[in-house]
Every structure is written in C-alpha cells, then in structure tokens.
Amino acid sequence: MPADSESRRSKPLALSASQVKRFYYTTTTAEAFPWKEISETSRGENFIDVHGIGQRTGKYFKYQKKRAPLLDRSSVYYYTDYVVLPLDDAPVTKALAKENKLRSSPGFASTTAAIFDDSTANKDAFHGFSRKEARRARQKSCKPKAGRTTTLPTGDLLEKRTLARA
C-alpha cells in the first residue's frame, strides 16, 4: 500500500493555468472587488499630454526642436567673417619667420620710424623699482603702540545715581 500512495503523489495533476490561479492566487479583496480593465475611451486624460504639447513627445504631438525662424549660422557676423586656416600652420609660420627676419636685418629700410625690438609701451611706462627706491617708498607704521588699555572710566562719573531710584 505505501508504494501505491507514493506513486499517486509523484504524478502531477493536470490543471489548467486558470485553475491553478484560482486555487492558489486569489484573495478575498479581489473576489469582493473585481477589477475590470477600463477601455481607452473611458480612461482619463494625461494633462501633460494636453498642456505640454510640443515640449516632449506625447500622445498628440511630437517634440518640437526649438530654433529661431529664418536664422542659422550664416546670419552671424562671426561665421561670415571667419576664415578657415589650414590645420597645418607651417606656411603661416614660415611667412611670419621670413618677415621677422627681414625686418630685424640691419640693412632693412623701414617706412616708419618704429624700432623693431622687444620694447613695448607697457614695459617703458611700468618699469620696476630698485631696492633703494622701494625702501624709500615704504610708509611709517600707523599702528598704535602696544600696551595696557583702560576699559574702566577714571575720575568722576556723569551719572551719580541709578535710574531705578529716581
């Protein structure tokens, strides 16, 4: 007899998925309040889809990329004036080196009276001071002398009686 009962227990029962769900996965709340799917027409409206039309991709309208009408990069002066230089700046560097060498040569006759050296107006106007000049420019200290201070008044007081006894 024990072998026969063990063989019956090991056999799986042939239950459908709805039967298994009904036996194992039901609650009294689910039985008391049956849930029904709401149709698409009865479903509430998402106000973000209504009030934010174009701000994000939604039910009624796709996202609209913000751009100024009739304006693009060609309407900006920087873009129109910009000259694209080659990434290899060797020709520009060679031209500058040749010009600098020509101007710094002793036999160069310039049309201007400017001297082509390392002096600048800023360097001429704001030259440094010597140690002696810097020492002379130092001001005398205005800090009061260190010592004891008197925080309590000395001599006669202006108030002779307390205001509480007046």
Side-chain angles (χ1 to χ4, degrees):
M1 185 82 176
D4 186 35
S5 64
E6 285 179 11
S7 65
R8 265 191 276 157
R9 280 192 215 148
S10 63
K11 286 184 184 177
L13 297 175
L15 296 175
S16 67
S18 63
Q19 288 175 331
V20 171
K21 187 177 178 182
R22 195 180 80 216
F23 288 138
Y24 291 106
Y25 302 111
T26 59
T27 62
T28 55
T29 306
E31 291 172 2
F33 303 104
W35 179 261
K36 295 178 184 174
E37 282 296 320
I38 300 171
S39 66
E40 193 65 35
T41 57
S42 301
R43 194 167 291 200
E45 191 68 41
N46 186 350
F47 281 109
I48 291 177
D49 289 340
V50 175
H51 294 292
I53 288 179
Q55 294 176 0
R56 60 177 59 97
T57 302
K59 183 177 175 181
Y60 300 109
F61 209 66
K62 291 188 176 184
Y63 172 71
Q64 295 295 306
K65 185 177 177 185
K66 293 178 176 70
R67 66 179 192 88
L70 303 174
L71 292 177
D72 58 353
R73 289 190 63 192
S74 64
S75 63
V76 180
Y77 283 120
Y78 175 79
Y79 181 75
T80 57
D81 295 342
Y82 181 72
V83 177
V84 179
L85 296 175
L87 293 176
D88 179 23
D89 60 348
V92 176
T93 306
K94 283 181 184 177
L96 284 172
K98 182 180 176 185
E99 185 68 24
N100 288 340
K101 188 173 185 180
L102 175 71
R103 286 182 179 235
S104 62
S105 65
F108 178 71
S110 177
T111 57
T112 65
I115 300 169
F116 197 71
D117 61 356
D118 67 339
S119 65
T120 61
N122 189 35
K123 199 185 276 187
D124 293 340
F126 301 105
H127 57 82
F129 295 103
S130 67
R131 284 182 175 249
K132 188 176 180 181
E133 289 173 327
R135 212 176 302 119
R136 258 194 352 216
R138 188 171 183 177
Q139 296 283 325
K140 186 180 174 185
S141 176
C142 296
K143 181 179 173 185
K145 300 290 183 202
R148 297 189 72 175
T149 60
T150 55
T151 56
L152 297 175
T154 57
D156 292 337
L157 298 176
L158 296 175
E159 294 287 336
K160 303 286 185 188
R161 292 187 316 176
T162 63
L163 293 175
R165 293 188 180 198

